[in-house]
Amino acid sequence: MTLADIKKTQEEALSQIASASTQAEVEQLRIKYIGAKNGLVQAMMKNLKDIPAAEKPEAGKALNALRAAVTEAIETAKSKTGESNSASRSPFDFSLPGNWTVPGTVHPISQVIEEVSRIFSSLGFTVADGPDIETEFNNFDALNTAKHHPSRDERDTFWLDDGRLLRTQTSTVQIREMLSHKPPVRIINPGRCYRRDTIDATHGANFHQIEGLYVDTKPVSLADLKSTLAYFAREMMGPSVKVRFRPHFFPFTEPSVEADFSCHLCHGKGCRVCKQSGWIEILGAGIVDTRVYKNVGYDEDCYGYAFGMGVERIAMIKHGITDLRLLYANDLRFLQQFV
Ligand code: DAH
């Protein structure tokens, strides 16, 4: 390597860089000449040691000048080609695939809770809350459940060591609301409940209910309850849905009823969902038993009704789901159907 070689390399490099027309070409030339690993300038630096001692300082200077000149030329070429490229192109590359965020969907159980809450809120009910861990008093005693009622049994209820339990029904919130508020009380309460049920297509050890309670100091009748539930049925399932009431027994209401809705899928003709009967059992309800008022310290001149419904059951009926376990399997292919 001689001084002349260095000069020649510089001339070649500068002319090549000057005629490069794209960023890619400039980049190739940068790597070729001043690339840190295999660049030509780097290789020439290494060869300095073979040059006669007298010429070394001059050659070193020339090499430094070569590197500086090439670096500068590359910078200039880069901004030149960059400018001309971006001027002729849109800043967006429309051929690139977009950033797609998969939207989430509301779980069918939450959808039912939101819908029922919306309907009863429009009637003046407020949404109340209560804890999953409850006292025996709130879950059984105050609700007038007999001391030896089978639902208190260890085989039916999850008891905690301290005598409390996982609530078996949201009716506990009726008691909580009456203990903490004077009438009028008009609430609904969606929440989780727990029972020692063997899990199958229609039972879970953990499920949701929505409770309703209206208590006032002026008369509230069974007719008020029926009209409220009929309105709810039409809002929930569609305007042509009919409601049927059957006598039943609940310890905390007297009289007690169960309410069936006419099947919204077959309109009463009989199908898989209504088991050919044309009717679907939806909820329990009744006029609040005076013994409950006594248990919460209310004046017995109170009037009111209560009702309670299973959320999973409504979601299954609405969507024609036949196995409750699907609601808890967290399979997005299943859940995303219910938008
Ligand atoms: N708690 C009852 C159950 O779990 C449902 C129920 C029935 C609630 C009648 C009520 C009611 O408020 O009045 O089966």
Side-chain angles (χ1 to χ4, degrees):
M1 183 180 71
T2 62
L3 261 177
D5 289 335
I6 299 172
K7 289 254 154 61
K8 197 168 146 246
T9 306
Q10 182 161 338
E11 273 161 28
E12 270 172 20
L14 295 184
S15 95
Q16 282 173 12
I17 294 166
S19 58
S21 59
T22 66
Q23 292 260 338
E25 279 173 36
V26 177
E27 178 59 11
Q28 261 174 14
L29 291 168
R30 185 191 67 76
I31 293 167
K32 176 177 172 188
Y33 287 105
I34 52 173
K37 262 198 182 155
N38 300 316
L40 217 53
V41 176
Q42 189 67 16
M44 290 168 107
M45 289 279 189
K46 275 190 196 139
N47 290 342
L48 263 184
K49 63 179 184 323
D50 304 326
I51 285 184
E55 289 170 26
K56 239 184 219 165
E58 192 93 21
K61 255 193 218 154
L63 271 178
N64 281 337
L66 164 62
R67 190 186 357 230
V70 170
T71 307
E72 199 189 315
I74 294 273
E75 284 308 313
T76 317
K78 260 195 180 159
S79 61
K80 224 172 56 193
T81 50
E83 258 167 36
S84 61
N85 279 346
S86 63
S88 64
R89 249 201 256 138
S90 158
F92 298 108
D93 181 349
F94 293 104
S95 66
L96 284 174
N99 287 331
W100 169 250
T101 311
V102 182
T105 57
V106 179
H107 193 284
I109 289 179
S110 304
Q111 283 182 27
V112 171
I113 290 175
E114 281 175 15
E115 181 67 359
V116 176
S117 304
R118 182 191 65 75
I119 296 167
F120 282 101
S121 297
S122 76
L123 292 173
F125 285 74
T126 43
V127 180
D129 202 9
D132 294 11
I133 296 178
E134 264 296 2
T135 60
E136 184 171 10
F137 178 79
N138 287 349
N139 197 87
F140 291 123
D141 301 332
L143 288 161
N144 198 33
T145 310
K147 265 274 170 264
H148 300 292
H149 193 279
S151 63
R152 299 201 190 212
D153 197 297
E154 281 221 2
R155 279 165 301 181
D156 290 304
T157 299
F158 292 104
W159 289 92
L160 307 188
D161 290 342
D162 62 6
R164 290 184 299 166
L165 49 85
L166 298 184
R167 68 175 172 194
T168 60
Q169 51 188 352
T170 45
S171 305
T172 53
V173 181
Q174 289 189 32
I175 303 304
R176 287 185 166 268
E177 283 299 309
M178 287 192 275
L179 284 172
S180 57
H181 296 90
K182 289 208 165 348
V185 167
R186 196 171 3 213
I187 55 108
I188 61 157
N189 163 246
R192 280 175 193 277
C193 303
Y194 307 83
R195 288 184 198 172
R196 277 186 188 252
D197 268 333
T198 307
I199 295 161
D200 63 21
T202 52
H203 295 84
N206 169 216
F207 55 96
H208 297 75
Q209 285 187 341
I210 300 176
E211 193 76 14
L213 174 72
Y214 172 40
V215 181
D216 213 328
T217 46
K218 56 179 199 258
V220 176
S221 70
L222 198 62
D224 294 321
L225 170 65
K226 287 174 82 172
S227 59
T228 305
L229 292 179
Y231 173 79
F232 163 67
R234 288 193 298 271
E235 283 287 302
M236 191 73 197
M237 298 293 185
S240 60
V241 165
K242 296 190 187 64
V243 185
R244 169 174 96 170
F245 293 89
R246 288 179 286 104
H248 201 75
F249 172 79
F250 295 105
F252 39 89
T253 44
E254 179 59 36
S256 302
V257 294
E258 268 192 338
D260 302 335
F261 291 1
S262 61
C263 181
H264 62 293
L265 294 175
C266 66
H267 303 288
K269 286 194 202 75
C271 70
R272 183 174 54 91
V273 171
C274 63
K275 301 206 179 77
Q276 311 306 329
S277 74
W279 293 95
I280 300 170
E281 180 194 319
I282 299 281
L283 50 82
I287 296 295
V288 179
D289 195 306
T290 48
R291 270 183 254 189
V292 175
Y293 295 140
K294 213 195 248 160
N295 293 340
V296 296
Y298 264 17
D299 193 330
E300 278 178 42
D301 274 346
C302 285
Y303 307 85
Y305 60 71
F307 55 87
M309 61 190 96
V311 177
E312 280 78 355
R313 195 171 155 65
I314 294 180
M316 289 170 75
I317 288 159
K318 249 200 128 164
H319 299 298
I321 300 165
T322 48
D323 193 329
L324 175 135
R325 290 165 291 196
L326 287 167
L327 291 169
Y328 289 99
N330 282 340
D331 185 337
L332 289 182
R333 290 167 303 179
F334 171 75
L335 293 173
Q336 282 175 343
Q337 299 175 82
F338 310 110
V339 258

